[in-house]
């Protein structure tokens, strides 16, 4: 049986040859340049598509927020209109008539007069003036 003894570590000459082969393999020639250009173009197209998709998503979100803002502005206008109607004297009078309320007569008014000088002294029932 024959045993071939080969050194475990390559010689310097073999290392140089392997390096030259590797450089030759990595050197871009016509076909490899075309493949590299195609890969670069595909990468740029992918980035462009990603940016366009993100921009479309943000545009959709902005449009949705604008619709929400419009709806809220309409609701605010409606609420302000309802508030103005509720505060109008004619509407208050109509609601009072519907509830069978009547205007107050002058003799129904009761006034309490508070004198600042007598406020320091204890007051009696006679001090209160009702319907002067």
């Amino acid at each position: 049986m024959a045993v071939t003894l080969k050194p475990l570590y390559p010689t310097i000459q073999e290392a140089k040859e392997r390096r030259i082969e590797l450089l030759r393999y990595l050197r871009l020639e016509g076909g490899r340049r075309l493949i590299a250009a195609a890969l670069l173009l595909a990468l740029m197209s992918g980035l462009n598509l990603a940016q366009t998709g993100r921009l479309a998503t943000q545009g959709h979100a902005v449009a949705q927020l604008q619709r929400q803002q419009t709806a809220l502005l309409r609701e605010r206008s409606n609420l302000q209109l309802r508030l103005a109607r509720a505060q109008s004297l004619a509407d208050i009078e109509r609601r009072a008539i519907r509830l069978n309320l009547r205007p107050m007569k002058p003799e129904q008014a009761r006034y309490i007069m508070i004198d600042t000088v007598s406020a320091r002294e204890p007051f009696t029932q006679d001090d209160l003036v009702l319907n002067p």
Side-chain angles (χ1 to χ4, degrees):
M1 167 157 60
V3 176
T4 310
L5 294 174
K6 195 170 188 182
L8 196 55
Y9 299 105
T11 62
I12 294 177
Q13 183 63 32
E14 289 174 356
K16 285 181 182 179
E17 288 174 7
R18 287 181 75 197
R19 190 177 67 205
I20 291 172
E21 286 178 24
L22 182 64
L23 290 175
R24 192 176 327 140
Y25 177 75
L26 293 176
R27 190 176 311 143
L28 295 179
E29 296 172 1
R32 290 187 178 122
R33 286 183 184 169
L34 182 62
I35 291 172
L39 285 174
L40 185 62
L41 183 64
L43 179 66
M44 289 172 53
S45 298
L47 288 173
N48 191 14
L49 274 173
Q51 287 178 345
T52 304
R54 192 175 72 228
L55 185 64
T57 302
Q58 287 176 348
H60 178 69
V62 166
Q64 185 177 2
L65 288 173
Q66 286 175 340
R67 284 191 300 269
Q68 184 179 5
Q69 180 187 20
T70 304
L72 289 173
L73 286 173
R74 281 187 192 137
E75 183 180 356
R76 179 177 173 231
S77 296
N78 288 337
L79 288 173
Q80 285 177 336
L81 180 65
R82 285 179 56 195
L83 178 65
R85 285 181 181 163
Q87 289 178 343
S88 74
L89 293 177
D91 191 52
I92 292 173
E93 185 178 5
R94 277 194 300 272
R95 282 186 282 163
I97 291 171
R98 199 172 346 136
L99 294 172
N100 294 325
L101 298 177
R102 297 182 312 263
M104 181 184 78
K105 296 177 184 173
E107 58 270 5
Q108 292 175 322
R110 304 265 189 254
Y111 297 99
I112 298 175
M113 302 299 281
I114 300 175
D115 188 22
T116 56
V117 176
S118 64
R120 294 186 192 136
E121 304 168 3
F123 62 91
T124 62
Q125 190 67 20
D126 298 331
D127 293 336
L128 292 178
V129 179
L130 299 177
N131 279 340

